[in-house]
Amino acid sequence: MVDGFNLLPYLVPQALTDVVERLVPELQERGVYRTEYEGTTLREHLELGPA
């Protein structure tokens, strides 16, 4: 299971583009990365609950 990635664009300039154009769509297709947000605030997007 992966819970995050560290990208260093100054070392690997193509890395962010690869993640956005290749990895994210693949993860969404597999159902492990959301395709849309249910909430309307950043707090809801991060699933932090009520303030």
Side-chain angles (χ1 to χ4, degrees):
M1 181 171 154
V2 176
D3 63 358
F5 297 94
N6 289 322
L7 302 174
L8 303 172
Y10 64 92
L11 294 176
V12 186
Q14 188 64 32
L16 184 58
T17 302
D18 288 342
V19 167
V20 171
E21 293 180 357
R22 297 178 181 188
L23 179 61
V24 170
E26 182 65 30
L27 293 174
Q28 288 174 331
E29 194 173 299
R30 294 178 186 210
V32 294
Y33 193 89
R34 68 178 97 199
T35 57
E36 59 185 41
Y37 292 97
E38 294 180 15
T40 58
T41 65
L42 178 59
R43 176 175 283 282
E44 291 170 334
H45 295 317
L46 297 176
E47 299 174 358
L48 297 175

